[in-house]
Amino acid sequence: MLGSLSLSGKRALILGVANERSLAWAIAKHLHEAGAILAFNYLGDALERRVRPLAESVQAEIIAPCNVASDADLDALFRLVNEKWGGLDILIHSVAFAQKEDLEGRFVDTSREGFRVAMDISAYSLVAAAKRAEPLMSEGGGSMITLSYYGSQKVVPNYNVMGVAKAALEACVRYLAADLGSKKIRVNSISAGPVKTLAAAGIRDFRNMLAAAEEKTPLKENISADDVGAMAAFLCGPGGKHITGSNILIDSGAHIMGG
Ligand code: NAD
């Protein structure tokens, strides 16, 4: 079914590719396969060296720096998108960050600054990007997708402040979906099971998290980045037409299990 999905000519801005393992890259590949035209950001020179060749391999039309903690960077990126495309159909927000010391030990020890940084980069940045994408999507509507994790709903060891940021992110999705729905702009999150990526490597004992997830899931296997890519493409296509404000779990069913 996905083979016949067409996003031909749809303009997609993808925030959050760091390397070929990134969930955002899996999404980019699926959007590209379905015919979308792509734009990418990167964070800093070191990541530019990783992102640029990937982006060029899918004929990206825009490859630009953007730190989502900076309003000036966001303004410059969306200005570039507007100048180049005059509009936007898809926004992928696949960005999160928390200080390393806040992804281990006790949540109660989170510092004020650690809390602020995690919230700003992992939750508020969706709002900041959505605000700038809205005028570009106002004519034809659009689809915005962010990435969450089940640590937003239940306590997951070491996920700590990121769980709180993801809870805020999922609430942001609902409020944004309500605000933007009349313009046919849909906003959803995909809550993915654990996948080994650069960001995941920052969580203490991530390997145990992967093993535990596999053991716990009804399907007895972990998800792949590719599963996330396929769902994102589906949400951007006709099948997602009436899906907004949702948090879609791709976790081999882990969330239904207790104990
Ligand atoms: P990743 O490291 O490949 O992607 C995280 C991205 O965030 C990187 O590209 C990084 O450059 C970017 N980023 C961080 N701070 C930024 C800033 N200030 N400005 C701009 N970009 C910034 O890892 P990933 O696992 O693909 O993470 C993508 C999203 O998926 C995150 O929101 C993460 O929480 C979420 N997620 C990951 C998993 C998992 O197990 N990997 C599971 C569920 C949800």
Side-chain angles (χ1 to χ4, degrees), residues 13 15 39-42 62-68 70-85 128-129 132-133 136:
L13 171 59
L15 304 177
F40 294 86
N41 86 312
Y42 56 84
I62 299 167
I63 309 168
C66 179
N67 180 338
V68 299
S70 157
D71 282 332
D73 276 18
L74 283 164
D75 285 342
L77 179 63
F78 280 89
R79 203 177 313 119
L80 197 61
V81 169
N82 193 26
E83 280 164 13
K84 179 87 184 165
W85 289 342
R132 289 162 174 85
L136 303 185

Side-chain angles (χ1 to χ4, degrees), residues 4 13-14 129 143 146 183 214 222 245 253:
S4 63
L13 171 59
I14 299 174
S143 177
T146 188
K183 294 183 174 163
E214 186 160 28
N222 277 320

Side-chain angles (χ1 to χ4, degrees), residues 131-176:
K131 186 172 170 59
R132 289 162 174 85
E134 179 189 0
L136 303 185
M137 291 182 170
S138 285
E139 278 191 12
S143 177
M144 302 182 183
I145 297 173
T146 188
L147 273 297
S148 194
Y149 175 64
Y150 190 54
S152 63
Q153 313 287 326
K154 300 284 181 190
V155 173
V156 174
N158 299 319
Y159 203 61
N160 296 4
V161 72
M162 190 55 81
V164 175
K166 291 302 191 194
L169 180 71
E170 290 172 17
C172 290
V173 164
R174 292 187 285 274
Y175 279 87
L176 289 170

